[in-house]
Amino acid sequence: MISVLIADDEQPAVDELAFLLGQDPRIGTIHRATSGSEAIRILTREPVDAAFLDIHMPGLSGFDLARALQRFEHKPAFVFVTADEEGALEAFDLAAVDYLLKPVRTERLQRSVTRIVEAMRQAQPGTTDAAAARPEMIAVTLGGTTRMIRRDDVRYVQAQGDYARLHTDEASYLVRVPMSDLERQWADAGFVRVHRSYLVALPHVTRVRLGGERPTVVVGQAELPVSRRLLPGLRDRLEQATPRARP
């Protein structure tokens, strides 16, 4: 069970987030604070695994709280919860586990809790510092606003000339990086080239059809072609990812 702190200067926002978190069986104790100073008092006396921080609070802001957490012996993972997209760059520079936009959707909040669980598992052996596990982040631009997305949210990449389009389950983002560079740089993260125009994240592949005249893979709602030339490499990667019974 994960103990959490919610810090937001608006009481209804605290209550709503506490209600949503309370529906998740992975969440245990929920502490509530309506100011940065109250959050600090709770954090100094209670062992908290994760903190959900509003950015814009009078006095100590969410960013101030995140910086203060860096000095704690037990550093909780933290998630920023805000209506403002402009703080995403600074949020991930502070090693936030996630960045939630208000109004918070239940399924999106569940993904944040999953990321907290992953961060706790990936923390250094012998420590409880969940904030130590930092995901790979990518700077993207959408509508003139620069924001950060997690690489493990990218389902597949589509080549578009000298650019690459990163597809997540929420949106797609154009980055000026050749597909060949991403293929090389992201191979160890589970990405495999299946076509001259597509690079897929194996953890997001839900179905494969490698026989017949038109081999395909399904990633989310997209069915993508697999070229004959790249088919053997895809088969090898899928075999490596398949669990095998011990002899």
Side-chain angles (χ1 to χ4, degrees), residues 32-161:
R32 310 181 190 203
T34 54
S35 69
S37 57
E38 184 181 6
I40 289 292
R41 286 196 295 272
I42 293 172
L43 289 166
T44 53
R45 70 172 188 262
E46 301 288 348
V48 172
D49 298 312
F52 290 81
L53 310 175
D54 180 36
I55 290 179
H56 302 293
M57 293 187 290
L60 288 175
S61 69
F63 288 148
D64 294 330
L65 280 173
R67 295 186 188 96
L69 290 177
Q70 309 299 330
R71 299 192 293 271
F72 278 53
E73 181 178 354
H74 173 87
K75 301 181 183 66
F78 56 91
V79 173
F80 289 110
V81 186
T82 178
D84 182 10
E85 287 194 20
E86 297 294 330
L89 284 172
E90 185 172 357
F92 288 111
D93 188 53
L94 290 167
V97 171
D98 208 351
Y99 192 88
L100 283 176
L101 290 176
K102 298 178 180 178
V104 177
R105 295 182 290 115
T106 301
E107 61 273 18
R108 186 65 181 82
L109 181 60
Q110 289 173 343
R111 280 168 48 196
S112 287
V113 175
T114 297
R115 289 171 175 174
I116 290 167
V117 172
E118 291 172 352
M120 293 171 66
R121 287 175 179 165
Q122 294 168 9
Q124 293 297 321
T127 75
T128 56
D129 185 358
R134 188 171 185 175
E136 179 75 21
M137 307 304 302
I138 308 156
V140 298
T141 302
L142 185 65
T145 299
T146 299
R147 58 177 299 188
M148 303 297 288
I149 64 171
R150 291 168 55 118
R151 182 174 62 184
D152 57 18
D153 278 343
V154 177
R155 293 176 177 267
Y156 67 95
V157 183
Q158 182 179 9
Q160 293 191 344

Side-chain angles (χ1 to χ4, degrees), residues 160-171:
Q160 293 191 344
D162 293 333
Y163 292 77
R165 182 169 293 279
L166 312 181
H167 292 264
T168 70
D169 64 348
E170 296 179 337

Side-chain angles (χ1 to χ4, degrees), residues 6 14 31 48 69 75 104 127 130 151 158 166 181-183 187 191 194 205 209 243:
I6 301 169
V14 173
H31 302 280
V48 172
L69 290 177
K75 301 181 183 66
V104 177
T127 75
R151 182 174 62 184
Q158 182 179 9
L166 312 181
D181 288 355
L182 291 180
E183 179 184 5
F191 285 80
V194 298
V205 171
R209 187 179 64 188

